[in-house]
């Protein structure tokens, strides 16, 4: 018998979670990039078929999973701290099993079992379909490990169970892995080689989301512009594909166009673009379809040509400027955001100035900025000494963050006194009487709720702003409703 245990009204969308009686409870926590959050939804789907229902309370769980990130040392330390907490709960509930998923699982493999005695199961990002077998192993009292990386796996045939959803926006993954081998980055080691998902399964997932009332999707990949479907297999093997496969291959700009055309009222975002792989075709496709959001996340990491080369970023700052100029020309309304790494090995005061100068040229809308963290096994860790002193890294980081704040404030102000379309996502964190949503550029907007609901497209007149948030009043439904 099935009974409804949780019924949350969120605006006009009703979220029902059904639970089979006598089923087991899964508690899952995710860290790191959006891809990890999306993967956890795949894991929840695979385990739902095994009779596991998700719970928000760790204390109630039969199985606790943590989907981990290895991108910086700090991300790994955060997970280690959480494991201590899990350990405390396990002392009260010794039957509880603990599994580690994601990039740390792939990086540390069975070493995890020795280092963290609490862990029963270690599962890498390409091995989630093996979870039913691995769980049987741990049920029988053995530890279980599967960290095999795959040439084919895209989970295209798994319908994700949406976790913590607002019923409005969802992630749809389109590629897995990365072939770029930036020298600082652990991702190619933990997520394997690049492969793309069948466009038909992507379109089907988007249609399902649309039918369930979702209004915005983000197409996800470590490097979306490198998307290439030619019938399956690794991107690096495309050269070996048949003439027929090559002639019918779908690249990222075609995929974007297909999704945009199939659902003209669905907002489409994508992340992340790598400057060396982003094509003019993609920018032109963005211009052609009003439902593709006018925002590009375009990490640059450094403004110095010498450092870009050391990082194995396969473009120069001049080529980056050319790309920025093209985006501004074809899409004058487009917002641009960045990722920066501060204090990469050998970074001099002049290299740092080059970064500040590049930022001054672009004036990014927002960005994610971190000091360099050496990752074991990467080319940078093997070849270069982490030689920029910590206090210099911190000082440079502060300068970069301060400059970004200035630019964010400048960009946010450009929207003042304009009327913009906002998709309502939920209640503002600061006020129960206000909705929070975003405009096409991904800027957060808050406005009085009035009669509007979650999932509505509302025209909002902007009257005020802070550094990163627009404040306005609703003036009616947008024609997109
Ligand atoms: N293509 C992926 C990159 C994932 S890593 C994406 O853009 O989502 C995300 C960001 O983490 C990178 O852009 C980089 O700025 C940062 N990063 C990666 N490795 C790092 C390291 N070793 N130290 C500090 N920051 C790092
Ligand atoms: Fe990492 Fe560079 Fe790929 S940052 S994910 S190796 S594009």
């Amino acid at each position: 018998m099935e009974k409804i245990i949780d019924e949350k009204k969120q605006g006009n969308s009703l979220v029902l979670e059904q639970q089979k009686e006598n089923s087991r409870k899964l508690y899952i926590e995710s860290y790191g990039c959006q891809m990890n959050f999306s993967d956890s939804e795949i894991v929840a789907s695979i385990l739902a078929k095994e009779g596991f229902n998700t719970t928000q309370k760790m204390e109630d769980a039969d199985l606790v999973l943590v989907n981990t990130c290895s991108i910086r040392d700090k991300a790994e330390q955060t997970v280690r701290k959480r494991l201590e907490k899990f350990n405390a709960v396990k002392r009260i509930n010794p039957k509880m099993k603990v599994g580690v998923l994601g990039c740390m699982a792939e990086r540390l493999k069975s070493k995890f079992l020795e280092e963290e005695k609490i862990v029963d199961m270690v599962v890498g990002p390409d091995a989630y379909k093996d979870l039913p077998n691995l769980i049987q192993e741990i049920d029988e009292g053995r530890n279980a490990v599967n960290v095999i990386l795959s040439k084919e796996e895209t989970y295209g045939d798994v319908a994700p169970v949406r976790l913590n959803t607002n019923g409005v926006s969802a992630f749809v993954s389109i590629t897995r892995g990365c072939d770029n081998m930036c020298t600082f980055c652990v991702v190619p080691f933990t997520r394997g080689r690049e492969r793309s998902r069948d466009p038909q399964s992507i379109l089907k997932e988007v249609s399902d989301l649309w039918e369930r009332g979702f209004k915005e999707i983000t197409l996800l990949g470590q490097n979306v512009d490198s998307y290439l479907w030619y019938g399956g297999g690794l991107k690096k093997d495309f050269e070996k594909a048949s003439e027929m496969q090559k002639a019918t291959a779908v690249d990222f700009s075609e995929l974007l166009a297909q999704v945009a055309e199939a659902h003209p009222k669905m907002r489409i975002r994508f992340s992340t673009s790598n400057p060396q792989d982003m094509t003019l075709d993609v920018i032109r496709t963005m211009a052609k379809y009003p439902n593709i959001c006018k925002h590009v996340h375009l990490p640059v990491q450094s403004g110095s040509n010498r450092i870009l080369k050391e990082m194995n970023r396969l473009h120069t700052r001049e080529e980056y400027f050319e790309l920025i100029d093209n985006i501004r020309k074809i899409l004058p309304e487009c917002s641009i955001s960045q990722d920066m790494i501060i204090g990469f090995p050998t970074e001099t005061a002049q290299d740092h100035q080059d970064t500040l100068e590049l930022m001054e040229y672009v004036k990014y809308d927002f960005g994610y900025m971190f000091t360099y963290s050496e990752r074991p096994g990467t080319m940078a860790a093997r070849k270069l000494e982490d030689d920029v002193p910590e206090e210099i890294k911190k000082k440079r980081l502060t300068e970069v963050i301060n400059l970004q704040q200035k630019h964010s404030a400048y960009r946010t102000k450009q929207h003042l006194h304009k009327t913009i379309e906002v998709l309502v996502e939920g209640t503002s964190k600061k006020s129960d009487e206000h909705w929070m949503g975003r405009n096409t550029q991904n800027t957060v907007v808050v406005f009085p709720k009035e009669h509007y609901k979650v999932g509505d497209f509302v025209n909002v007149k902007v009257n005020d702003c802070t550094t990163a948030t627009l404040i306005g009043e609703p003036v009616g439904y947008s024609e997109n409703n």
Side-chain angles (χ1 to χ4, degrees):
M1 201 186 84
E2 292 197 334
K3 69 173 182 187
I4 293 163
I5 55 146
D6 184 16
E7 191 172 301
K8 273 186 284 177
K9 238 189 155 87
Q10 295 185 330
N12 60 354
S13 78
L14 193 64
V15 181
L16 301 178
E17 281 179 23
Q18 295 189 317
Q19 180 174 25
K20 283 190 198 130
E21 271 176 358
N22 304 324
S23 65
R24 295 203 275 178
K25 290 207 175 75
L26 163 70
Y27 172 86
I28 185 161
E29 235 172 57
S30 311
Y31 293 89
C33 63
Q34 295 165 332
M35 187 67 90
N36 256 7
F37 286 79
S38 167
D39 278 0
S40 291
E41 298 186 334
I42 285 165
V43 168
S45 168
I46 290 167
L47 290 184
K49 293 206 176 69
E50 300 298 304
F52 280 93
N53 290 290
T54 52
T55 170
Q56 306 284 336
K57 276 209 215 125
M58 189 205 309
E59 290 74 10
D60 293 348
D62 302 288
L63 177 63
V64 170
L65 296 179
V66 55
N67 201 346
T68 61
C69 173
S70 284
I71 204 78
R72 284 172 289 269
D73 184 56
K74 191 145 180 284
E76 295 203 350
Q77 295 314 324
T78 308
V79 168
R80 301 257 188 201
K81 285 228 175 62
R82 284 306 284 163
L83 289 173
E84 282 172 29
K85 166 80 183 162
F86 297 169
N87 210 0
V89 177
K90 202 173 180 174
R91 264 185 242 121
I92 305 162
N93 175 11
K95 277 197 290 192
M96 181 181 110
K97 301 284 184 198
V98 175
V100 178
L101 315 176
C103 288
M104 265 177 102
E106 193 62 48
R107 196 176 83 70
L108 293 161
K109 304 185 168 59
S110 54
K111 251 179 28 194
F112 229 124
L113 299 170
E114 293 150 37
E115 288 177 20
E116 301 281 355
K117 296 282 179 244
I118 183 195
V119 174
D120 302 290
M121 182 170 74
V122 180
V123 194
D126 284 347
Y128 298 144
K129 282 197 188 145
D130 196 29
L131 274 166
N133 301 323
L134 299 169
I135 286 168
Q136 196 175 341
E137 290 278 313
I138 59 173
D139 280 347
E140 290 166 9
R142 291 183 292 274
N143 286 331
V145 179
N146 186 345
V147 289
I148 296 170
L149 289 172
S150 161
K151 286 184 181 176
E152 299 280 343
E153 188 58 81
T154 60
Y155 301 110
D157 53 343
V158 179
V161 167
R162 303 293 162 185
L163 301 170
N164 305 319
T165 178
N166 59 5
V168 176
S169 353
F171 296 129
V172 175
S173 79
I174 64 164
T175 68
R176 295 186 74 82
C178 185
D179 285 351
N180 271 347
M181 292 309 244
C182 302
T183 56
F184 53 81
C185 185
V186 78
V187 170
F189 301 92
T190 59
R191 289 190 163 266
R193 300 278 71 80
E194 206 171 292
R195 66 222 98 114
S196 297
R197 177 177 168 190
D198 183 342
Q200 289 311 318
S201 84
I202 296 170
L203 285 163
K204 183 174 179 308
E205 185 173 336
V206 177
S207 292
D208 288 347
L209 287 164
W210 177 252
E211 269 150 37
R212 287 164 55 197
F214 283 80
K215 300 285 172 67
E216 177 182 87
I217 54 149
T218 304
L219 302 175
L220 280 188
Q222 298 301 336
N223 180 7
V224 282
D225 299 273
S226 182
Y227 176 90
L228 187 65
W229 173 258
Y230 62 97
L234 294 180
K235 162 97 184 239
K236 72 177 180 58
D237 292 337
F238 179 64
E239 286 311 313
K240 292 185 224 150
S242 69
E243 288 312 310
M244 179 68 174
Q245 282 175 315
K246 284 185 184 163
T248 54
V250 176
D251 69 6
F252 183 58
S253 66
E254 283 167 41
L255 178 77
L256 255 186
Q258 284 183 22
V259 177
E261 225 152 86
H263 296 284
K265 292 199 164 193
M266 183 80 123
R267 262 192 182 182
I268 296 150
R269 299 185 183 276
F270 56 89
S271 189
T272 299
S273 297
N274 190 297
Q276 74 209 38
D277 295 306
M278 186 164 202
T279 61
L280 284 181
D281 278 352
V282 169
I283 305 168
R284 290 196 192 103
T285 304
M286 290 174 76
K288 187 169 166 197
Y289 295 95
N291 57 330
I292 303 180
C293 288
K294 304 300 179 269
H295 166 226
V296 186
H297 184 54
L298 201 60
V300 66
Q301 321 297 359
S302 169
S304 150
N305 272 335
R306 194 182 61 80
I307 295 290
L308 287 172
K309 201 158 182 216
E310 292 286 2
M311 288 176 161
N312 194 33
R313 303 285 288 185
L314 300 179
H315 63 84
T316 60
R317 71 188 250 131
E318 291 73 23
E319 284 162 336
Y320 188 78
F321 287 149
E322 201 182 312
L323 179 59
I324 298 287
D325 291 347
N326 277 321
I327 296 173
R328 299 257 187 256
K329 199 162 64 199
I330 302 171
L331 294 167
E333 302 283 284
C334 192
S335 63
I336 303 174
S337 53
Q338 45 89 348
D339 288 349
M340 289 284 185
I341 297 179
I342 315 305
F344 185 79
T346 76
E347 186 189 77
T348 62
Q350 181 57 49
D351 295 322
H352 173 60
Q353 283 310 315
D354 288 352
T355 295
L356 295 174
E357 210 181 84
L358 176 139
M359 291 176 71
E360 203 58 76
Y361 184 87
V362 183
K363 294 194 176 57
Y364 294 98
D365 292 70
F366 59 97
Y368 303 93
M369 298 142 283
F370 293 94
T371 54
Y372 172 69
S373 167
E374 186 176 89
R375 308 313 296 130
T378 57
M379 207 41 118
R382 281 190 278 160
K383 294 268 161 72
L384 298 167
E385 191 194 335
D386 183 7
D387 61 355
V388 180
E390 210 47 46
E391 66 274 16
I392 294 192
K393 281 186 189 168
K394 290 228 171 80
K395 185 173 154 282
R396 289 180 186 165
L397 177 65
T398 307
E399 286 176 25
V400 167
I401 290 176
N402 288 344
L403 185 58
Q404 182 52 57
Q405 282 222 313
K406 197 177 115 191
H407 292 156
S408 294
Y410 165 77
R411 290 287 175 203
T412 308
K413 269 200 196 121
Q414 306 299 308
H415 300 290
L416 264 180
H417 312 303
K418 292 187 181 149
T419 299
I420 55 178
E421 184 189 68
V422 179
L423 171 61
V424 181
E425 290 174 36
T427 296
S428 153
K429 277 192 207 118
K430 291 201 179 137
S431 151
D432 279 350
E433 276 98 61
H434 287 73
W435 288 130
M436 168 270 166
R438 281 171 296 155
N439 63 359
T440 181
Q441 287 88 356
N442 210 31
T443 314
V444 170
V445 187
V446 295
F447 65 91
K449 283 184 173 172
E450 296 186 3
H451 56 283
Y452 298 101
K453 300 185 299 299
V454 169
D456 284 346
F457 285 97
V458 182
N459 286 330
V460 175
K461 171 125 196 308
V462 180
N463 301 321
D464 200 359
C465 67
T466 65
T467 309
T469 307
L470 297 168
I471 303 154
E473 55 179 317
V475 292
Y477 290 105
S478 90
E479 59 187 23
N480 210 9
N481 255 313

